Amino acid sequence: MRACIAFAVILLTMACAGWARAEDGYDLWLRYRPLPPAQMKLYGGRASQLVLAADTPTQRATRDELQRGLSGLLGRDIPLTQTVLHDGAIVVGTAASSPLIARLHWDTRNLGSEGYLIRSAVIDGHAATAIVGNSDIGALYGAFRFLRLLQTGQHIDRLDLHDAPHLTLRVLDHWDYLNGQVERGYAGASIWDWWKLPDWRDPRYTDYARANASIGINGSVLNDVAGGATILTPTYLQKVAALADVFRPYGIRVYLSIRFSAPIEIGGLKTADPLDPQVRAWWRAKADEIYRLIPDFGGFLVKANSEGQPGPADYGRTHADGANVLADALAPHGGVVMWRAFVYSQANPEDRAKQAYDAFKPLDGQFRANVLVQVKNGPIDFQPREPFHPLFGAMPKTPLMMEFEITKEYLGFATHLVYLGPVYEEVLSSDTMTHGKGSTVAKVIDGSLEGHRLTGMAGDANIGTDRDWCGSDFNQANWYVFGRLAWNPSQSSRTIAEEWVRMTFSNDDAFVKPVVDMMMGSREAAVDYMTPLGLVHLMGPGHHYGPAPWDASEAEADWRPVYYHRADKQGIGFDRTRSGSDAAAQYAPPVAAQFSDIQQTPERFLLYFHHVPWDYRMRSGQTLWYELVAHYAQGVEDVKRMRETWRGLHGYVDEQRYQQTASFLAIQEKEAQWWRDACIAYFQSISGQPLPPGYAPPEHSLKYYQSLSFPYVPGFSSW
Amino acid sequence: MRACIAFAVILLTMACAGWARAEDGYDLWLRYRPLPPAQMKLYGGRASQLVLAADTPTQRATRDELQRGLSGLLGRDIPLTQTVLHDGAIVVGTAASSPLIARLHWDTRNLGSEGYLIRSAVIDGHAATAIVGNSDIGALYGAFRFLRLLQTGQHIDRLDLHDAPHLTLRVLDHWDYLNGQVERGYAGASIWDWWKLPDWRDPRYTDYARANASIGINGSVLNDVAGGATILTPTYLQKVAALADVFRPYGIRVYLSIRFSAPIEIGGLKTADPLDPQVRAWWRAKADEIYRLIPDFGGFLVKANSEGQPGPADYGRTHADGANVLADALAPHGGVVMWRAFVYSQANPEDRAKQAYDAFKPLDGQFRANVLVQVKNGPIDFQPREPFHPLFGAMPKTPLMMEFEITKEYLGFATHLVYLGPVYEEVLSSDTMTHGKGSTVAKVIDGSLEGHRLTGMAGDANIGTDRDWCGSDFNQANWYVFGRLAWNPSQSSRTIAEEWVRMTFSNDDAFVKPVVDMMMGSREAAVDYMTPLGLVHLMGPGHHYGPAPWDASEAEADWRPVYYHRADKQGIGFDRTRSGSDAAAQYAPPVAAQFSDIQQTPERFLLYFHHVPWDYRMRSGQTLWYELVAHYAQGVEDVKRMRETWRGLHGYVDEQRYQQTASFLAIQEKEAQWWRDACIAYFQSISGQPLPPGYAPPEHSLKYYQSLSFPYVPGFSSW
């Protein structure tokens, strides 16, 4: 007995050492810490043995994850067995991989190739839980779901649930360069160690795949859309193939961003004209070469004729011509092209918000079947708030892929706590009205509205070499919610936030509720202290850090904040009605009518669609000027309250993660105050209006805010 | 009993989870894993309680480290007590902090301010171990030494040892830029998160300080010598101060690299002339500003008038003039200037190897008392092998600080296993003969030869954001051996390697012996496959990756490999005798005579000092050409043997670290073969000599090796 206690003490010490170190965020939401004894006991009877085949890499990954998860959560190893010996067996697999499952004769047609069902059943006379898919990957997804049930403290007796992804392609877009920089990345350098690949396969690559598979992400675009052509050279394709090998067991395909002029740069051709036979042949040969190395290669992502990138327009060809030459090269192998609609040009005098629609709508129906047009959530560029993109619903013959930004380029980089679930949900639930009421953006991208089977959602990743992957613990929630919504775009972002909090921090309701509330309110707070009432693009030039509503230094007019807010002595806002750019007319008639009428326009979009007098009466009865100041002030107040909330939760989480969040919230409050003060100081200098009573004046002069410079802002590729 | 076992199993599971994760190299040599039971038992009686004061930050750091270390190694917490209650007490502190220690009345004069003694003693009638210093830092160093005794399996009864550093300044030079890049860094980005400082203090900064203190490093130059002046602006000095606060309890002072033209760039002056009164005043004011924020600021490191950096020569002033203006500004606060002697210029037609000596020797005696001239180990630039720098012993009136490179700029970057202990030891034990036999470089830099009290050693750090800090587990040994030799330059690099292996991997002699042998042979292997027989500077242009002996593309003649090897139809080597540049004459007469005489010159330096005919008879009786090929081949054979050695040790270490080293050795063998083949192919094209019988010809043609290009080499600041 004494020996045993000594032994236990030794283990306890080791455990604590490991434990302490572990709380650095590396585990993400796959944090399999021992559950409270009561819960262990509750689940114990339902997890007595594990029955599954381990013949394929995916089956072995499923076995390893269940063993790792269950042993961590329940504090004991669950024996692997061939048959069901007693109650509490967990039987995992497909009808093909498991005779036990085959004998159940369950109808799994509605699960598709990636879905799963989890059902309590009696197998060989014993109470068991069956996790069943039509494929190994389906079973793996089911295993992660089963673990999530335990992680979030739900009952696992009398289970009968099934789920399947609503979208085909659920993809992370990495904006990583081959030199290790990450465009708009705030979590360190690229996690791809290109230099040591393919020889050295960092174990972190496997953990990356585990995390993605756990939320259903099935694709990864490894490199930035503005990168060069080197990634397509044989040397680098070897490296890409090594990553594909690591990801494959987890159902993740690799994709590459390609440079449209690659046939010239690495192919030695004189042109990249998509209609040139040599160019077409070069892309076909390149695709063949890639698929010899990576049989399940996903395809290409392309940014063409936008922000200086080469493209088909350089040869007088259309985006469809450009996409189709790639599509034809990939089609024989089952690959797809994700062609970005984020195009605009300084040469085009038209309102930047209108250019993507103008360029792509006429091309509807001209793209090959294996092309998706990838559209950002809004017409500008991932602003704290924008209306949904008018292309959604406007190209019924073309599969439109949603592009959300997970990295917080415009939302406080690594440090600000801004949960993006509400951003995504707001856009997905927006009604395009293109097929009458209920024609939501979600239904456009899941294909149900226009009958597309090829569908997808892309998220611009916030992942880097930081130990916690995302630059902060709360940034992990944005990776998580993206994946969960890509699986099913009609889910509630609050439900997903709660799930994440329970898995990442604690199941204690005294902690969960306030933290979820804080997360759900965090985005509106950021909108208020950055760009309230439909303002957009007020941030610093180039690096996008901090407020610079006064800035007119950028070379391109439509990169200048003044282009967007149009503040003058009379008022503020961008007139996008008939009397202005008429961008509102790009939406379906009922929506266009609403946005064109200042009375009907939701105030959250007011200054996006209308140039409004400073003394305009808002619904509150107050003037626009008053409301503008009030929103800026509210944003700061909200962050103050977030800090209080977190202070009140000390002790519910480990010290390391508590302190980091506390420090970051302090930075956020300081910067929210800076945004409020700088923007009010500037707009006041234009409006000439006195500050409403009760509102503190800016801490410094407008000159001071204009004088600030930031030579080493992270995530800015010109460093 | 069953409950206890269940409990133990739970803990075991947790422990293993933690354990597995822990073996990612993050712990460095402070890897406090449970010792074998027998050893635990042995030490247990000598570690029953901990008696120390915890009133100062350093005392608390000492307490925390001993608790962490002892609980980890012995598997149980050691109680803290005020008095000695029974046998086995560990009493730590100074006569001032501990009445128990004061009552011992031990003579500690020879310990200085940073030394310690560890002695078994009877205190209050109980067998105890006393760890005593004259300062808190001395006691902290003693605590680390005591833990090392346990980590390396030594006896701790009847202890009576004392130690004190032989050098005053033991400093890491970080080549980190404010944008996160690390010049010649192969372990990820800078560990200084300048962007989030001073608000966020990454816990990693504390672990960095712990690791340095454990080997006696007491200074850290935070930024690269080629960085701009921004580091001296108020915003960044706040960030520097935050790091200084974290390091202070561990006895580490921060230093900054400064840009000589800072008075112009951030001071708004028209000149940076060191004799200009405004410039002198500006530096004084800047120093005052720094010391208000950082009372124990260490001082400045300067690279002036070298490789494009500004300096006093821009104003017709000497290096002494430049150093002294800074020294005068720092002196009132006790700061020092570390002025680099690594200066050469393309404008100077003289042999680059001679230029530093020519520039600095005449200035001996002209520097202020708080200036050290920092000299690289050799005259060229951290090559795999160079003779010691002729300045050592040539400036008796000036403290010369040794600069070693820890990062493997010329030795295979992150992946090659090259233990640098022998490089350092070879240089330190070299005899300058300046005061007769025994005037070793070690005695020059420890001040004993010329009676200097201000002494120092700098190491160009190999630290980055990689989880394992240094880019590989074995690279950690180079950080470790640098620190241990900076503490005492006369130690054996083999002894230090063994220490490190025991702490980092295992105390099992079946593992320790072969690994130490492998490490000790690794440097000679690299010399053989890269630059044998005194060759230097054969690497690729700019990025310094891989062989390019043919390269003449660099703008500066003395950046071109062909400048260094001078191979022609007749022979190879750089004539540095009277008939050539006469660089040999810069050494003391006996050394000069030896290096000037081809017969007396050690063959390891042959081609550094002499241009030698291909058919020259070596001591082996073989021709130079034969020996050159034989050395290149031997280097590859040695790496093959290193791989076999490591293969034979599978199971002695955790799988993750085993596999990484195995992968890296595979890369090293591939690249050693490349070096051998490319160099032999090139030199054969010059010599026209047939390959000696029994030696395989290069795998590819010379053309092939010359055609290789590497667009994204890490650590190269022009990316």
Side-chain angles (χ1 to χ4, degrees), chain B residues 374-436:
Chain B
Q374 183 168 304
V375 183
K376 292 187 177 183
N377 58 275
I380 305 299
D381 186 21
F382 300 131
Q383 292 303 296
R385 170 171 279 133
E386 295 180 44
F388 69 92
H389 201 295
L391 274 173
F392 292 113
M395 294 181 70
K397 303 202 195 74
T398 312
L400 298 189
M401 189 167 181
M402 171 65 75
E403 179 175 356
F404 282 129
E405 193 173 46
I406 304 173
T407 187
K408 302 210 305 300
E409 174 179 1
Y410 300 100
L411 285 155
F413 296 0
T415 48
H416 293 210
L417 196 165
V418 181
Y419 173 55
L420 299 179
V423 183
Y424 305 156
E425 186 175 11
E426 181 175 290
V427 172
L428 291 166
S429 61
S430 298
D431 197 338
T432 69
M433 302 289 286
T434 49
H435 292 51

Side-chain angles (χ1 to χ4, degrees), chain A residues 337-404:
Chain A
V337 173
M338 302 176 290
W339 191 272
R340 287 174 112 219
F342 180 65
V343 301
Y344 65 92
S345 151
Q346 163 75 345
N348 184 344
E350 185 55 272
D351 176 2
R352 170 173 158 183
K354 294 177 67 177
Q355 294 184 30
Y357 179 99
D358 292 346
F360 279 85
K361 177 161 177 52
L363 301 175
D364 190 28
Q366 298 181 28
F367 293 95
R368 297 281 192 270
N370 60 330
V371 175
L372 300 100
V373 170
Q374 183 168 305
V375 183
K376 291 187 178 184
N377 58 274
I380 305 300
D381 186 20
F382 300 132
Q383 292 302 295
R385 170 170 279 133
E386 294 180 45
F388 69 91
H389 201 295
L391 274 173
F392 293 113
M395 295 181 69
K397 302 203 196 77
T398 312
L400 298 189
M401 187 168 183
M402 171 65 74
E403 179 175 356
F404 282 129

Side-chain angles (χ1 to χ4, degrees), chain A residues 4 13 21 27 75 199 670, chain B residues 4 10 21 27 34 71 199 670:
Chain A
C4 172
T13 315
R21 179 175 303 97
D27 292 342
D199 306 274
K670 198 170 58 178
Chain B
C4 172
I10 291 173
R21 177 175 306 95
D27 291 343
S71 64
D199 306 273
K670 197 169 59 179

